[in-house]
Amino acid sequence: MREHPLRLMIVDDHPVVRDGLRGMFEGLSDIEVVAEAGDGHEALAMADSARPDVVLMDLRMPGLDGVGAIRRLRADRPEIRVIVLTTYDSDEDVSRALAHGVVGYLLKDAPREDLHRAVRTAAQGRPMIAPSITSKLLGLREQVEPSPRELEVLRLVAAGAGNKEIARRLLISETTVKTHLRHVFGKLGVDNRAAAVVTAMKRGLI
């Protein structure tokens, strides 16, 4: 049993959403909303003073988006547990968020009780993923590793080849090269060529 309520920070660029979320947690003895932020930069600035245990984080916000804020929080304040709360459930959104260590991924139509449970379980370091996201992850499980062709492209990137050179050597178009790289980025949870190479090397893929 905790001696003090869980400290919760809400991060969303829409004030009406923040108001609604705050209202969902009012009256609970074990969860206290200690801060609200309208974007990633504001969330990072508040994290030190507010000392939240758990953060409810939207993904798509102006300025520093949710994934950027999650990356910084995980690096600077790894003890803070982050739950994504968003309207977006695309493959890319899900994979990028999970790659950066969030412990929960819920959609904004989640019932109040699910939000309460997610915050409580997140504070214990246990995950809670929306059923629709779980189904999506199961469907993607066979695709999490880059295909042999995608790894061919990535090996050439690691060797310093540009898109035009890769296309010439593999006898494919530059557009196809870009498509392969986009798929690699999504599967590895990165957003640029250098990060893809480093991640693939760490995982022993190349």
Side-chain angles (χ1 to χ4, degrees):
M1 187 81 179
R2 291 178 63 96
E3 185 177 350
H4 302 291
L6 291 171
R7 300 173 63 82
L8 175 66
M9 178 162 70
I10 297 169
V11 186
D12 194 289
D13 60 324
H14 294 101
V16 67
V17 173
R18 297 198 303 271
D19 289 346
L21 289 171
R22 184 176 63 250
M24 288 186 176
F25 289 94
E26 286 179 351
L28 296 180
S29 61
D30 62 332
I31 302 174
E32 177 186 6
V33 176
V34 296
E36 299 176 26
D39 60 38
H41 289 300
E42 193 175 357
L44 293 173
M46 289 183 168
D48 286 335
S49 59
R51 294 178 295 107
D53 299 301
V54 179
V55 175
L56 280 178
M57 180 81 71
D58 191 15
L59 282 184
R60 301 192 186 180
M61 299 178 288
L64 184 64
D65 69 3
V67 171
I70 291 165
R71 186 185 299 118
R72 291 274 302 278
L73 277 175
R74 295 298 298 154
D76 299 341
R77 300 290 302 273
E79 75 278 7
I80 296 176
R81 312 293 187 180
V82 182
I83 301 169
V84 168
L85 183 64
T86 183
T87 56
Y88 303 102
D89 65 348
S90 72
D91 297 351
E92 183 179 2
D93 287 320
V94 172
S95 62
R96 289 180 69 211
L98 294 179
H100 290 292
V102 301
V103 294
Y105 197 116
L106 298 177
L107 301 180
K108 287 183 178 177
D109 60 358
R112 177 191 307 251
E113 293 76 16
D114 284 359
L115 289 176
H116 296 170
R117 186 164 64 253
V119 170
R120 292 172 181 133
T121 58
Q124 298 169 13
R126 295 188 288 118
M128 181 168 174
I129 310 293
S132 63
I133 303 300
T134 302
S135 299
K136 184 180 290 289
L137 291 172
L138 290 173
L140 291 173
R141 187 164 57 184
E142 298 303 319
Q143 306 172 27
V144 293
E145 299 292 358
S147 69
R149 188 61 152 178
E150 289 162 355
L151 289 176
E152 276 189 283
V153 171
L154 194 56
R155 288 188 188 98
L156 290 172
V157 170
N163 289 353
K164 186 174 182 178
E165 173 67 9
I166 294 170
R168 185 186 66 79
R169 293 178 63 173
L170 297 182
L171 303 178
I172 58 178
S173 70
E174 288 188 58
T175 299
T176 301
V177 172
K178 292 176 183 177
T179 299
H180 284 319
L181 287 173
R182 187 168 65 250
H183 291 166
V184 168
F185 293 170
K187 291 175 181 180
L188 297 182
V190 299
D191 56 13
N192 63 73
R193 298 160 76 99
V197 170
V198 170
T199 301
M201 286 180 170
K202 286 181 177 177
R203 288 169 57 174
L205 298 175
I206 61 173

